[in-house]
Amino acid sequence: MASSLSTKPFSADALSAFASLNSDLGSLSPAYLRLSLRPRLPKRLHIQAAGSTYGNHFRVTTYGESHGGGVGCVIDGCPPRLPLSEADMQVDLDRRRPGQSRITTPRKETDTCKIFSGVSEGITTGTPIHVSVPNTDQRGHDYSEMAVAYRPSHADATYDMKYGVRSVQGGGRSSARETIGRVASGAVAKKILKEFSGTEMIKVSKASKKETFPLIFQILAYVSQVHKIVLPEDLIDHDTLTLDQIESNIVRCPDPEYAEKMISAIDAVRVRGDSVGGVVTCIVRNCPRGLGSPVFDKLEAELAKAAMSLPATKGFQFGSGFAGTFLTGSEHNDEFYIDEHGNTRTRTNRSGGIQGGISNGEIINMRIAFKPTSTIGAVTPVVSHAA
């Protein structure tokens, strides 16, 4: 419905001035000016709930709250005729499942997934894949006080500020259970990569030995810091690092000695009802060259967006990261050379496998910082809604 605005009568002098500019105005009678304005949409019609979808060709939408009926994802863009079952996803879902050890959340969930669409007789159909995981350890009554109070460093206050309503049972969409949809869709992405990347055997020459390793597009991640316990970078060989090394302990640090130090650091604060943060290092081996597009779709920018959208993330760096600011250009530059297979390589990798926003074939190396868990056992002051 259009609205209108009327002014007071114009004076004769004002009308004469208008008439000199446009003779048509001289015919205005009575001497009023009426303006038609486009209506403003009521605030209740403004769409605010966006931001749950990531990707272009392979698009993932996650859904669900921490203590709602369940969580999951919808995957669009998966090619047809790809063998896929719940078991393919369950392996990775079991790795992220809560309650695995004393250093994780005590919540008990089986995180058993079910595929509702996009797969027929064990084969993808090319249509959207719906994966759902029910919440079985729902304890919404534990959060009754949160209906009238804001917990420190949680998203309670900001969700209320933005939406005027929130899921008071747990963290809602800001809970780490949102990552279930990412893990399930990541398992599908890994199947696609494995299907189309293939496997090739190559010789890797080193100073003291020659060994044979499979040339596989591979993504690995491990804990490289817990609180003040920092794993020295030179202790881990990213060329030969294996998933078995990472999975050998409950903190998922590939070095046994530092893994024990990290576990002890967590235990020391856990018994006091407190928490600590840390850093996860992620590497990508044998990444194809040429991934990433200047300028707003640079590969590191896309990786940063994906990583920084994870709950509790506070920092992202790749290659030399912030430490590179302490070097000069001559110290930081990665010198090129031609390897025995005729490929252009770099002798160092301070660029982290990405130059100009485009992958160069070297190992992509990134680190993501996570803050201490905000939900702790220690008593902390809160602010009520009324305040």
Side-chain angles (χ1 to χ4, degrees):
M1 180 178 68
S3 60
S4 61
L5 176 67
S6 296
T7 70
K8 293 182 179 180
F10 278 86
S11 67
D13 292 340
L15 284 175
S16 298
F18 274 107
S20 65
L21 295 175
N22 190 332
S23 58
D24 291 339
L25 290 178
S27 61
L28 285 176
S29 181
Y32 288 84
L33 178 65
R34 186 174 296 274
L35 300 176
S36 293
L37 303 177
R38 296 186 67 181
R40 290 186 61 185
L41 282 174
K43 287 186 177 180
R44 65 180 180 272
L45 296 181
H46 289 178
I47 298 175
Q48 300 183 46
S52 293
T53 300
Y54 181 78
N56 294 311
H57 303 293
F58 184 84
R59 294 176 61 84
V60 177
T61 300
T62 68
Y63 68 85
E65 288 81 32
S66 58
H67 286 269
V71 292
C73 65
V74 175
I75 307 164
D76 203 0
C78 179
R81 300 182 298 280
L82 180 75
L84 183 68
S85 67
E86 283 97 346
D88 294 319
M89 305 178 190
Q90 200 61 53
V91 173
D92 286 319
L93 287 172
D94 288 344
R95 292 182 63 226
R96 77 149 302 281
R97 182 172 50 83
Q100 295 185 41
S101 69
R102 67 179 187 273
I103 65 173
T104 66
T105 173
R107 181 171 177 170
K108 300 295 183 181
E109 294 280 358
T110 61
D111 284 354
T112 304
C113 70
K114 184 172 180 60
I115 299 175
F116 283 97
S117 67
V119 177
S120 177
E121 298 182 351
I123 302 295
T124 60
T125 62
T127 58
I129 301 171
H130 175 200
V131 183
S132 182
V133 173
N135 291 328
T136 58
D137 189 16
Q138 302 176 38
R139 291 177 289 178
H141 60 276
D142 291 350
Y143 297 87
S144 57
E145 295 179 359
M146 298 306 102
V148 294
Y150 294 143
R151 296 168 294 174
S153 290
H154 287 72
D156 303 337
T158 51
Y159 269 57
D160 259 357
M161 293 171 187
K162 181 175 179 64
Y163 300 111
V165 65
R166 62 186 170 90
S167 173
V168 297
Q169 292 80 22
R173 284 293 287 160
S174 64
S175 167
R177 285 196 66 73
E178 181 272 338
T179 62
I180 283 179
R182 302 179 191 230
V183 173
S185 57
V188 177
K190 286 201 299 184
K191 288 241 2 172
I192 296 172
L193 290 172
K194 185 176 181 180
E195 185 80 10
F196 291 97
S197 66
T199 302
E200 179 186 357
M201 303 300 291
I202 62 168
K203 291 284 185 178
V204 179
S205 298
K206 295 196 174 183
S208 59
K209 58 183 177 178
K210 277 192 174 183
E211 296 184 12
T212 301
F213 297 102
L215 177 60
I216 307 173
F217 183 86
Q218 192 171 28
I219 303 169
L220 295 170
Y222 61 90
V223 174
S224 55
Q225 178 180 338
V226 168
H227 198 37
K228 298 179 181 180
I229 308 299
V230 182
L231 177 67
E233 292 184 19
D234 57 2
L235 284 185
I236 305 301
D237 186 351
H238 287 167
D239 287 317
T240 60
L241 178 66
T242 66
L243 184 59
D244 288 339
Q245 289 177 275
I246 297 171
E247 294 290 325
S248 63
N249 55 77
I250 59 176
V251 79
R252 293 193 169 105
C253 172
D255 183 85
E257 179 183 349
Y258 274 84
E260 288 301 319
K261 293 179 180 179
M262 292 176 181
I263 294 171
S264 297
I266 297 172
D267 284 337
V269 297
R270 182 177 59 86
V271 296
R272 302 198 304 264
D274 215 337
S275 65
V276 291
V279 175
V280 170
T281 295
C282 180
I283 65 169
V284 182
R285 281 201 296 245
N286 303 309
C287 177
R289 301 177 182 185
L291 296 185
S293 300
V295 291
F296 293 110
D297 294 332
K298 290 182 177 181
L299 183 55
E300 68 264 39
E302 293 289 350
L303 293 172
K305 181 177 182 179
M308 291 300 292
S309 63
L310 288 165
T313 50
K314 286 298 179 184
F316 175 88
Q317 56 182 327
F318 75 100
S320 62
F322 292 107
T325 62
F326 295 103
L327 304 178
T328 63
S330 59
E331 293 170 329
H332 191 274
N333 285 345
D334 293 321
E335 179 185 342
F336 287 111
Y337 75 100
I338 305 299
D339 69 9
E340 60 188 25
H341 303 287
N343 298 318
T344 301
R345 303 285 306 279
T346 61
R347 298 190 185 279
T348 54
N349 191 23
R350 299 183 187 92
S351 298
I354 304 172
Q355 293 172 325
I358 302 171
S359 60
N360 63 6
E362 303 295 334
I363 293 177
I364 294 176
N365 181 350
M366 51 191 151
R367 285 155 287 170
I368 304 96
F370 291 84
K371 70 174 183 178
T373 304
S374 300
T375 304
I376 56 178
V379 177
T380 55
V382 298
V383 174
S384 67
H385 293 192

